[in-house]
Amino acid sequence: MGVGKSTVGALLAERLGHVYRDTDADIVAAEGREIAEIFVDDGEPHFRELERRAVAEALAAHPGVLALGGGAVLDPSTRALLAGHPVVYLSMQVDEAVRRTGLATARPLLAVNPRRQWRELMEARRHLYTEVARAEVPTDHRTPEEVAEAVLDALELKHA
């Protein structure tokens, strides 16, 4: 959350001459409401099912750069679908998350004691991110342009 996946993903797509797509945006468009509203109105399990379907559809149909929501890797079928794809885990430390977002944005999983909850989420998910990722790119104290360059280097990709 707040790692810059949307900004970096769009930059990567531009540099590679591909189309960018974000599964969170797909869900918002399909549902006609924000993710925070889906969490509140229908609960996390419902959102995770929407997310699972959105990721599966995007992986099957989208040939470009794809950004996934932070919880997408919680689903074993999603992790299996990601196998063989050039997945990059954009990482950051909690201090960087605080600096970037203040952890005060509308993030339903960070509603109470956001600093502690962010740490707990990362502890629970980090091993899943590294399981599916071909490379990890730290984003701390880097501009989106620097992160995009690091991703291209990590995946040994050339610019378009």
Side-chain angles (χ1 to χ4, degrees):
M1 287 183 250
V3 76
K5 67 178 175 42
S6 298
T7 303
V8 171
L11 285 169
L12 285 170
E14 180 182 316
R15 291 177 185 183
L16 292 168
H18 292 294
V19 176
Y20 170 73
R21 184 170 175 180
D22 185 325
T23 57
D24 281 351
D26 290 349
I27 294 167
V28 168
E31 292 293 304
R33 55 195 171 137
E34 295 300 316
I35 290 171
E37 291 177 64
I38 298 168
F39 264 79
V40 169
D41 295 344
D42 302 323
E44 184 176 359
H46 177 73
F47 172 76
R48 295 295 173 210
E49 178 56 24
L50 294 173
E51 182 176 55
R52 185 195 62 73
R53 282 187 269 157
V55 172
E57 290 170 12
L59 285 171
H62 182 70
V65 176
L66 182 62
L68 307 183
V73 297
L74 297 173
D75 183 75
S77 65
T78 296
R79 293 193 307 274
L81 288 173
L82 291 170
H85 289 279
V87 177
V88 176
Y89 162 35
L90 300 180
S91 64
M92 76 177 160
Q93 299 299 313
V94 69
D95 291 340
E96 183 76 359
V98 169
R99 186 183 71 75
R100 290 186 189 182
T101 67
L103 294 181
T105 57
R107 301 195 186 271
L109 293 178
L110 301 177
V112 178
N113 195 346
R115 184 182 287 263
R116 187 190 81 223
Q117 287 180 303
W118 190 91
R119 278 193 180 108
E120 289 173 1
L121 281 174
M122 288 309 302
E123 287 171 14
R125 295 176 180 179
R126 185 173 281 114
H127 74 284
L128 298 174
Y129 295 149
T130 58
E131 174 188 319
V132 300
R134 187 176 296 173
E136 177 179 349
V137 173
T139 64
D140 302 81
H141 309 292
R142 286 178 157 172
T143 66
E145 292 77 12
E146 291 168 333
V147 174
E149 284 300 315
V151 169
L152 291 170
D153 291 344
L155 294 177
E156 299 177 352
L157 295 173
K158 304 284 184 208
H159 300 257

